Amino acid sequence: MLNAKSRMLRGLDPAIALGLIASAIYYSIMLLTPALRGTVLFQYTAHEPVEFVIVTFFLCGVADIVMKALSFPLEKMALKRPLLPARRGREPATNASKLLTSIQQEPTWLQESRFGKRLIAALSFITEKGRAEDFPEHLQYLADQDEDHSHAGFGLIRFVMGASPVLGFLGTVIHFGSALSGNSYDDLADRLPTVVSQMGAAFNTTTVALASAMGMMLSLFLLERIDRGILRQINRYVEVEIANRFEIKDPALTPFLTVLQSANAEAMQSIQHVLSAQVTAWSKSLEQVFAQITMRQEQESQHWQAALLAVEQRHETADAALVDRLRQTLNVVDNRHEQELGRIEHALDQALGVRDDIGVLVRTLEGIAKGEGKLVDQQRVLTENLRVLRESSQLDQALHGLTAAIHLMTARQGSSNIREAA
C-alpha cells in the first residue's frame, strides 16, 4: 500500500501538486472571508462550481509556468560553462571517456541540466561503443528527443489552454439550461429576473475561461520562444564541438589501414635515412662555404686596414701642410703687427713733439698775457699823466717827452729783435 502511494506521489506532476495547494489556499481565503463575498473577484472566480475548476486548472498552469521560468537561468548558466576543451582537429574515440569523466565531476545541477544531459548522452554513446561510427545519427536522435521532451514539457499548459474555453462553454450551457428548463412561455415573464441573473453568471464563467486561456496562450508563446533559443544554442555547441571531434574508422578498412600504416612507416624510415644523408652533405657544403666566407672576410679586413693606413698618411701629410701654412700666415701677421707698432710709436713721438710745441706756445701766450698786463698799467699811468698835464697846461712838453719815449722804446725793441735773430 505504501509502495503504491509512493509511486502515485512520484507520478504526480509537481506543478499539479502546487496548483492544487494554491487553489485550496485561495478558495479557503475567498470562502472564509465574508468581506470578499461581494467583490468582483468572488463573483468571477468563486460563484459557480465550474469557476472553481477553471481557476484550479489556471493555478496549476501558473505553477508550471513559474517552474519552467525558474529553470531557464540555470540552463543559461550551464551554456556559459566551458565543459569541453577547445577542439583541435580530429581526436581518437578513446578520448571520449576522459571528457565524460571531466563532465561527471561538475556540480549536480550542471549535470542535470539539458545541456549537461545532452553532452553526457553523446559521450556515453562513444564510450560504450569504443568508436565514433553512427555518431552523427545519434546526435540527431538526441536533438529530436530533446525537441519531443521540450514539446511534452508544455503539455499541462496546453491542456489548461484547451480545457479552459471548453469549461467556460460548459458553464454557459449549464447556466442557460438551468435558467430556461422547466419554464413555460407564460411563466417566463414572471421569472425573467432569475433567468437574466443565471445568464449573467453563464457569461461570467465564459469570461473567466477565456481570460485563463489567453493567459496560458501568451505564457506558452514566451516560454516556447525562450526554450527553443536554448535548444538552438545546445545544438550549435554540439555541432561545433562534438559532431566532428572524433575519428571515424570503418571496420572493413582496418586491414587496408594497417597496410598503409606499415608502408607509411617504411616510407618514413627511408625518408629519414635520405634526409640524414642529405643533411650531412649540406653540413659539409655549409662548412666549406663558411670557410670561404671567413677567408674572404679576412682578405677584406686586410684591404680595409691598408686603405685606412693610406688614408691616415694622407691625413697626416695634409695636416703638416696645413700647419706650415698656418705658421707662414702667423709670421706675416706678426711682421705686419710690428710695422704697425713702429708706425704707432712714430706717431706717438710726433704727438709728444706737438705736445712740447704746444707747451712752448702756452708759455709764450702766458708771457704775452703778462706783457699785456704791464701795458695796461702803463696806459693807466699815461692816462693819469695826460690828465695832469692837461690840468697843468703843460701838454706840449708832455707830447715831446712822450714822442722821445716812443722813439726810445722803438729803438730798444729793434735791438732786441736783432739779438734774437742772431
Side-chain angles (χ1 to χ4, degrees):
M1 186 70 178
L2 293 176
N3 293 329
K5 289 183 178 180
S6 62
R7 285 196 300 271
M8 184 182 298
L9 292 175
R10 285 197 300 269
L12 183 64
D13 193 344
I16 297 176
L18 291 175
L20 293 176
I21 293 172
S23 178
I25 294 172
Y26 176 77
Y27 282 111
S28 297
I29 295 172
M30 294 295 295
L31 297 176
L32 297 178
T33 305
L36 298 176
R37 289 184 176 275
T39 60
V40 177
L41 186 63
F42 182 86
Q43 183 178 358
Y44 276 92
T45 61
H47 192 267
E48 297 294 335
V50 178
E51 294 173 352
F52 289 9
V53 178
I54 295 173
V55 172
T56 302
F57 284 178
F58 177 75
L59 292 177
C60 291
V62 169
D64 194 16
I65 290 170
V66 172
M67 294 177 64
K68 296 290 184 184
L70 292 177
S71 66
F72 290 152
L74 294 177
E75 297 293 338
K76 294 286 187 180
M77 292 174 60
L79 286 169
K80 293 180 180 180
R81 293 287 292 270
L83 296 180
L84 298 178
R87 185 170 64 87
R88 298 179 180 177
R90 295 278 184 164
E91 298 180 8
T94 54
N95 291 347
S97 60
K98 298 178 181 179
L99 298 176
L100 180 60
T101 303
S102 65
I103 294 175
Q104 290 175 349
Q105 294 176 356
E106 295 290 336
T108 305
W109 67 268
L110 185 59
Q111 298 182 33
E112 293 297 328
S113 64
R114 284 188 289 179
F115 181 54
K117 289 180 179 179
R118 177 79 71 86
L119 295 180
I120 291 172
L123 295 174
S124 299
F125 176 80
I126 300 178
T127 302
E128 292 174 359
K129 295 187 67 174
R131 61 182 185 274
E133 285 75 16
D134 300 330
F135 186 57
E137 290 78 6
H138 183 70
L139 291 179
Q140 185 61 40
Y141 167 74
L142 293 177
D144 295 338
Q145 190 177 18
D146 282 346
E147 288 284 346
D148 295 337
H149 288 168
S150 176
H151 186 271
F154 296 101
L156 179 60
I157 300 175
R158 288 191 176 89
F159 171 77
V160 174
M161 184 177 65
S164 295
V166 175
L167 291 173
F169 291 130
L170 179 62
T172 302
V173 172
I174 291 174
H175 284 88
F176 270 97
S178 62
L180 297 176
S181 63
N183 295 323
S184 62
Y185 181 78
D186 296 333
D187 298 335
L188 186 62
D190 297 333
R191 299 187 59 185
L192 185 61
T194 304
V195 172
V196 172
S197 175
Q198 291 182 356
M199 292 177 64
F203 287 123
N204 291 339
T205 305
T206 305
T207 302
V208 173
L210 294 177
S212 174
M214 290 177 63
M216 292 294 105
M217 189 179 299
L218 178 62
S219 301
L220 179 63
F221 169 74
L222 296 175
L223 292 176
E224 281 189 338
R225 187 172 182 178
I226 298 173
D227 189 74
R228 288 174 182 174
I230 294 173
L231 286 179
R232 282 196 298 269
Q233 292 182 1
I234 295 173
N235 293 334
R236 188 181 303 112
Y237 184 87
V238 170
E239 183 179 359
V240 173
E241 296 294 337
I242 299 180
N244 298 317
R245 191 183 190 100
F246 302 103
E247 296 177 352
I248 298 176
K249 297 180 180 179
D250 190 358
L253 297 176
T254 303
F256 299 101
L257 293 176
T258 304
V259 173
L260 288 175
Q261 289 179 353
S262 61
N264 188 20
E266 294 178 356
M268 291 297 295
Q269 291 179 357
S270 61
I271 291 171
Q272 186 176 3
H273 179 70
V274 172
L275 285 176
S276 61
Q278 192 68 31
V279 167
T280 304
W282 286 348
S283 300
K284 293 180 180 178
S285 300
L286 289 174
E287 289 177 356
Q288 294 177 359
V289 171
F290 289 152
Q292 292 178 359
I293 291 172
T294 304
M295 292 175 61
R296 185 63 180 270
Q297 288 179 351
E298 291 178 355
Q299 292 176 0
E300 291 291 336
S301 63
Q302 292 176 358
H303 289 310
W304 280 110
Q305 290 177 358
L308 291 174
L309 291 174
V311 171
E312 288 179 358
Q313 291 176 359
R314 290 180 182 177
H315 284 175
E316 290 177 356
T317 304
D319 292 339
L322 181 60
V323 170
D324 292 337
R325 291 178 182 176
L326 288 175
R327 287 177 181 175
Q328 293 176 3
T329 304
L330 292 174
N331 291 331
V332 172
V333 172
D334 291 337
N335 292 331
R336 291 182 179 178
H337 284 176
E338 290 177 358
Q339 292 176 2
E340 292 295 332
L341 288 173
R343 293 177 183 176
I344 292 170
E345 290 177 356
H346 180 67
L348 290 174
D349 292 337
Q350 289 180 354
L352 292 174
V354 171
R355 187 186 64 182
D356 296 336
D357 293 339
I358 291 172
V360 173
L361 179 60
V362 170
R363 286 194 297 274
T364 303
L365 292 175
E366 288 178 355
I368 293 170
K370 291 179 181 179
E372 288 179 355
K374 292 179 180 181
L375 289 175
V376 171
D377 294 336
Q378 289 179 2
Q379 287 178 359
R380 187 172 59 253
V381 173
L382 288 173
T383 303
E384 186 65 29
N385 290 332
L386 288 173
R387 185 181 62 78
V388 174
L389 288 174
R390 187 179 57 184
E391 292 176 357
S392 62
S393 301
Q394 292 179 359
L395 181 57
D396 292 335
Q397 293 179 2
L399 287 173
H400 289 298
L402 181 57
T403 302
I406 290 170
H407 285 297
L408 180 59
M409 289 178 65
T410 301
R412 287 180 180 177
Q413 185 68 28
S415 63
S416 65
N417 290 330
I418 293 169
R419 285 197 300 274
E420 287 179 1

